[in-house]
Amino acid sequence: MNDVSRETAAVDKATAVFSTRMPLAEKYAELLADDGVTRGLIGPREVPRLWERHLLNCAVLGELIEPEADVLDIGSGAGLPGLVLAIVRPDVVVTLVEPMARRTEFLTEATEALGLDNVEVLRARAEEVKPRGRADVVTSRAVAPLGKLSHWCLPLARPGGQVLAIKGASAADEIVKYAKDLKKRGAENPEVVRCGTELLDTPTTVVRMFRRN
Ligand SMILES: C[S@@+](CC[C@H](N)C(=O)[O-])C[C@H]1O[C@@H](n2cnc3c(N)ncnc32)[C@H](O)[C@@H]1O
């Protein structure tokens, strides 16, 4: 399958995943391809694979999130995965945490353009976020190695809450490599979970861990 037909297939799959929210997902994809590229938030080479590598990759993370959860997305960049989760899961409330001004400006404008009332944009580093220990779920993609992520994200989750880090092929190795950090930070049952297995050619690989009670 070439890039074009793979992306066409991805749009079909996205129609199934986003369902009635597909028009919003399409509008977000347009914003990414247009403003996102102009402002240097996403590389032009990503445009032909936006649906497969970005929107779908992030949307399936919703499988692991309980109804009406309070979600903190750390290092959202152009809104991945946080803004996608807010689109696909209108029942959850998502706070997009991002330290760079030009990224938070894009996130605020995109949130308004999409008319999303379940999103808050916070210009901050993970270490500065308050209150701590309250989120049901803390998400991230491509932000930092698991050692640093556990330090940043676990204290933000409520006791028993989850940290979900989208990772690539390194997921299992990172759990082993940073086992001491994870234990020290109060991570319970760190494991590799795959999302979108029935739909995606390349399911999304996630490190999931819970904050010790
Ligand atoms: C490689 S980008 C990934 C963006 C997005 N999550 C994605 O998958 O496309 C990493 C992001 O993490 C942000 N970041 C770096 N250090 C951070 C910190 N201490 N707290 C929160 N975000 C941070 C950066 O500003 C950047 O937007």
Side-chain angles (χ1 to χ4, degrees):
M1 213 189 260
N2 64 26
D3 275 1
V4 175
S5 47
R6 222 183 355 249
E7 191 67 348
T8 308
V11 174
D12 287 344
K13 290 172 189 174
T15 306
V17 172
F18 286 97
S19 177
T20 58
R21 309 282 282 179
M22 188 62 179
L24 278 183
E26 285 173 323
K27 195 163 178 183
Y28 175 55
E30 279 166 26
L31 287 172
L32 280 178
D34 188 350
D35 264 20
V37 173
T38 318
R39 298 188 194 191
L41 305 183
I42 195 145
R45 291 213 329 237
E46 297 308 308
V47 174
R49 48 195 189 191
L50 271 184
W51 287 95
E52 195 199 359
R53 299 224 353 201
H54 299 286
L55 277 90
L56 273 174
N57 175 266
C58 292
V60 295
L61 189 64
E63 290 172 11
L64 302 178
I65 298 179
E66 66 266 31
E68 297 181 11
D70 189 354
V71 178
L72 275 179
D73 182 43
I74 300 301
S76 301
L80 302 159
L83 209 47
V84 175
L85 288 172
I87 292 171
V88 77
R89 289 286 305 274
D91 61 305
V92 305
V93 175
V94 183
T95 303
L96 307 173
V97 179
E98 170 55 53
M100 286 188 64
R102 68 191 170 92
R103 294 183 179 164
T104 53
E105 277 158 23
F106 172 83
L107 292 172
T108 303
E109 287 170 26
T111 300
E112 279 169 17
L114 297 170
L116 292 171
D117 59 7
N118 59 336
V119 175
E120 192 189 326
V121 179
L122 182 62
R123 185 176 168 207
R125 304 181 73 77
E127 310 89 296
E128 302 160 348
V129 174
K130 298 261 177 359
R132 306 178 79 71
R134 292 275 287 277
D136 297 312
V137 183
V138 184
T139 58
S140 68
R141 187 183 84 154
V143 173
L146 206 53
K148 198 173 265 184
L149 272 184
S150 66
H151 177 51
W152 287 348
C153 298
L154 277 162
L156 295 172
R158 63 168 169 77
Q162 344 176 43
V163 169
L164 301 174
I166 297 181
K167 290 279 174 187
S170 68
D173 289 346
E174 286 198 49
I175 290 178
V176 174
K177 181 170 177 187
Y178 297 108
K180 268 192 189 162
D181 300 81
L182 299 186
K183 197 170 173 203
K184 192 166 136 198
R185 302 283 165 208
E188 219 153 60
N189 301 329
E191 60 173 343
V192 177
V193 180
R194 292 197 166 74
C195 301
T197 45
E198 286 176 16
L199 196 68
L200 306 183
D201 297 335
T202 311
T204 301
T205 306
V206 180
V207 171
R208 171 162 70 174
M209 51 195 160
F210 294 86
R211 181 174 169 191
R212 194 179 301 134
N213 267 306

